[in-house]
Amino acid sequence: KQWYQRRVRGGEALVSCGIMETLLRIVQWRSTNKSQLTFVTRSVRLIDLITNMDVTTFTSYSGLNCLINRLQHEVEICKKELYEDSVADELPRGNERKDEKSMDVAPEAVELSFDRRLSSDIDGPTDSEGNSKAFQSSLKSLNSCIISQRAALLKSILNFLKRAIPDQLFSEYIRNVMDGSLPTSLKHIINKAEYYGPSLFFLATEVVTLYVFHEPSLLSSLQDRKLTDVILDALVVKEVYVTDR
């Protein structure tokens, strides 16, 4: 009881001091220094604490879009890291001239290649050889996983969304939350569970299930964006390995 009272008093003090705008600016600040991700993570946790008592200031500064955009930004970085790892694994197998040419690939070709990889992961293997390749790729992915600072930031944002979706204070803002980049970010986290780890995988899945539970009429829009296909594929085909994260 004393801990709860101290938490309430601390939250009220944060609400009254008008720190929300500063915290959201920290979330929007995109530094290339990985060690500074910790400051963003702490800001998200403070925002989560403050919005338990007051969401007016948070919504007036478009805080929900700010967090979703930050989630998208971090997932895009993870996509690039995954693609660079896959290219590094494939380079030794090709000829030297092909290796030199592969370094000059246009950005459009890189994006198309990544989309094909993602679609092939969703479709799943079709024969024994495909199963073997999928198993080998999953083992390789264990060697490359998300850094702990970025994982903590993504976890804080997903925990916020998990709490906000059933909250009546956010009801009018949550309904259209899946119209933007959020489904794409969630798809990548769920589809690349070996990279993100079991904690982020289950959090992303729980965010989707909570949204469908509270907004069942919008399930068709998630199906159109193939989000449900990725979840079913992950639950049936993929193995979520237990890690120390």
Side-chain angles (χ1 to χ4, degrees):
K1 184 177 180 181
Q2 292 179 353
W3 173 85
Y4 177 77
Q5 290 176 347
R6 288 197 300 269
R7 182 181 175 89
V8 171
R9 287 197 297 268
E12 291 174 348
L14 288 173
V15 171
S16 60
C17 73
I19 198 175
M20 179 62 72
E21 182 181 3
T22 303
L23 294 175
L24 290 174
R25 285 187 177 182
I26 294 175
V27 174
Q28 293 174 336
W29 175 54
R30 299 177 180 180
S31 172
T32 56
N33 191 340
K34 296 178 181 179
S35 63
Q36 294 174 351
L37 289 172
T38 306
F39 295 103
V40 185
T41 303
R42 291 175 179 175
S43 298
V44 174
R45 291 173 180 171
L46 282 174
I47 290 171
D48 197 353
L49 175 63
I50 294 173
T51 51
N52 274 311
M53 303 177 183
D54 178 46
V55 299
T56 305
T57 308
F58 177 77
T59 54
S60 65
Y61 287 106
S62 301
L64 196 57
N65 290 331
C66 176
L67 293 177
I68 293 174
N69 290 337
R70 183 64 195 226
L71 179 68
Q72 180 190 19
H73 172 71
E74 298 301 329
V75 169
E76 289 298 326
I77 293 176
C78 294
K79 287 181 180 180
K80 292 178 182 178
E81 291 180 353
L82 277 169
Y83 183 78
E84 290 172 358
D85 290 342
S86 65
V87 170
D89 291 337
E90 293 176 358
L91 283 178
R93 302 194 191 103
N95 297 327
E96 293 182 0
R97 292 183 179 179
K98 292 182 178 179
D99 294 342
E100 294 176 358
K101 292 181 180 179
S102 65
M103 303 302 293
D104 298 324
V105 179
E108 294 81 6
V110 171
E111 184 177 357
L112 179 60
S113 174
F114 179 81
D115 291 340
R116 288 175 177 173
R117 289 175 185 271
L118 180 60
S119 62
S120 63
D121 289 341
I122 295 175
D123 294 337
T126 56
D127 50 22
S128 58
E129 182 180 357
N131 287 326
S132 176
K133 290 181 179 179
F135 178 72
Q136 292 176 4
S137 63
S138 63
L139 288 178
K140 288 181 181 179
S141 63
L142 288 175
N143 297 326
S144 60
C145 57
I146 187 172
I147 62 172
S148 58
Q149 297 96 326
R150 182 162 288 118
L153 175 55
L154 295 181
K155 185 176 181 180
S156 297
I157 297 176
L158 292 175
N159 272 323
F160 177 86
L161 294 174
K162 175 184 170 183
R163 182 188 65 81
I165 288 174
D167 194 335
Q168 292 296 324
L169 296 175
F170 287 94
S171 57
E172 60 179 305
Y173 307 100
I174 288 295
R175 181 171 177 80
N176 299 322
V177 76
M178 291 291 183
D179 294 341
S181 63
L182 182 58
T184 303
S185 300
L186 294 174
K187 275 198 300 185
H188 195 262
I189 295 174
I190 295 170
N191 189 54
K192 299 297 181 181
E194 302 89 351
Y195 174 81
Y196 288 97
S199 178
L200 292 174
F201 169 78
F202 290 119
L203 265 176
T205 305
E206 194 168 4
V207 168
V208 178
T209 54
L210 280 171
Y211 181 81
V212 173
F213 178 78
H214 289 277
E215 301 290 347
S217 61
L218 299 177
L219 174 61
S220 58
S221 63
L222 300 183
Q223 292 173 331
D224 294 338
R225 303 190 70 168
K226 306 298 182 182
L227 181 55
T228 54
D229 292 347
V230 173
I231 293 177
L232 290 174
D233 176 75
L235 294 175
V236 174
V237 178
K238 289 184 175 292
E239 295 184 21
V240 182
Y241 298 90
V242 178
T243 66
D244 294 334
R245 297 187 184 280

